[in-house]
Amino acid sequence: MSQHEKSDYRGPKRILSGIQASGSLHLGNYLGALKKFVAMQEENPFLFVADMHAITVWQDPKQLVEQRRGIAAAYLAAGLDPKKATIFPQSGVPQHAELAWVFNCTARLGWLDRMTQFKEKSGDNKERASVGLYTYPVLQAADILLYKATDVPVGEDQKQHLELSRDIADRFNRDYDAPGFFPLPEPLIQGPGARIMSLKDGSKKMSKSDPSDLSRINLTDDADAIARKIKKAKTDPEPLPDTLEELKARPEAKNLVSIFAALSGRSDEAVLAEYAGQGFGAFKPALAEVAVEHLAPVTAELRRLLTETGEIDRVLTDGAERARAVAEPVMDEVRAMVGFWKG
Ligand code: ATP
Ligand code: LTN
């Protein structure tokens, strides 16, 4: 990645993040994203449902409507208050697409060629991937910079996309001779839960696109399903060690300890101090209990909200209006800077 200039941006701090509307959420999304959003809600974050990103791979239109509601419901069920956080649908603010076009002309092919997520998601079939999947991180930069966001809470897997957003902001500011016009947004990744791994393979992240449902805990799973999946999680026959160092070579064991720590608000070390010497026969039921206790209220509220589509749609309509009010003046400045038509 290029050397970044120090930001000349002098505007206020703004927190923004989004989650793709491409399926139901899991524990990784909850700990890596949702829980962090809730912790920051007094700072009035902008949180959107990335339905424009979702269609980079085919989505049935009726399902897209449901998935968008599903993510919005998860925001609310996790504890976000729509009066504090602006919760909105990306496609309700068409300026995202407009700014993305400008950024498509700012970003360089070489920058996008380095994006590992495109390589992973397009697999062996690069020729058949949509052009949108390739320029996905450019739209993500537009999502962020349209609101001049400075801080972006995300999981570890989004680090490279955030670096690209910084490169685009920096390049735009230089191209249009406008130092500090866009901030160079910072990812907020630290903290427990930034990278939750699959329950079946400690080398792969927990993901909604994993074909095995046993690899993840879904936010729609009930207590029985949560307990069953933890019981079936891959482990090893050794008891838990005293130190984190000794867990390094045992990715599945390490993952379960991290999940326990993230859910109970403790450090990995504190969890080890309590369970060192014990095998998974004892640790797994304790983990299941913590997971159910923590997730049950969220999953119950999520299931309730999913039947209240009117309530969800009202939140999204109101959020879209608030988001457009911030986005349009920025976009208007960009249009003038680029030299676009002013009607
Ligand atoms: P996919 O697996 O299909 O790529 P996903 O499950 O990674 O999807 P996203 O919509 O891409 O879900 O991610 C939403 C948010 O959740 C992002 O901030 C992302 O970094 C975070 N996240 C996703 N998976 C994990 C994980 N396993 N651990 C921690 N955070 C995660
Ligand atoms: N690519 C992100 C979702 C996303 C996002 C954003 C996150 C789209 N636009 C802007 C933060 C800021 C993902 O989690 N897969």
Side-chain angles (χ1 to χ4, degrees), residues 19-20 26 28-29 32-33 121 154-158 193-196 205-209:
I19 294 184
Q20 240 193 109
H26 52 74
N29 302 130
K121 297 222 163 171
V154 280
E156 174 79 36
D157 60 329
Q158 294 300 309
R195 193 165 167 79
I196 300 297
K205 71 162 194 155
M206 187 177 283
S207 157
K208 53 171 108 75
S209 25

Side-chain angles (χ1 to χ4, degrees), residues 243-269:
T243 63
L244 277 183
E245 189 57 33
E246 293 166 87
L247 263 189
K248 267 201 179 142
R250 298 168 59 190
E252 284 85 14
K254 182 171 185 299
N255 189 39
L256 294 189
V257 168
S258 300
I259 292 175
F260 195 118
L263 282 170
S264 58
R266 292 198 268 169
S267 65
D268 291 8
E269 289 87 345

Side-chain angles (χ1 to χ4, degrees), residues 17-22 24-34 36-37 71 117 121 136 153-158 193-198 204-210:
S17 195
I19 294 184
Q20 240 193 109
S22 54
S24 54
L25 294 178
H26 52 74
L27 184 65
N29 302 130
Y30 179 71
L31 294 173
L34 288 172
K36 287 189 196 158
F37 302 166
I71 304 290
Q117 184 174 295
K121 297 222 163 171
Y136 178 116
V154 280
E156 174 79 36
D157 60 329
Q158 294 300 309
R195 193 165 167 79
I196 300 297
M197 311 310 281
S198 156
K204 288 201 313 204
K205 71 162 194 155
M206 187 177 283
S207 157
K208 53 171 108 75
S209 25
D210 193 314

Side-chain angles (χ1 to χ4, degrees), residues 286-341:
L287 174 58
E289 198 178 313
V290 169
V292 168
E293 183 190 303
H294 196 94
L295 294 176
V298 179
T299 57
E301 176 64 357
L302 181 57
R303 281 195 293 271
R304 184 194 73 78
L305 278 166
L306 287 175
T307 64
E308 299 286 338
T309 53
E311 189 177 334
I312 299 171
D313 289 354
R314 271 195 299 282
V315 168
L316 289 174
T317 304
D318 176 56
E321 202 176 305
R322 280 150 61 189
R324 281 194 302 265
V326 177
E328 178 52 18
V330 177
M331 195 61 227
D332 213 38
E333 276 187 278
V334 171
R335 290 181 199 119
M337 289 162 87
V338 172
F340 279 171
W341 178 259

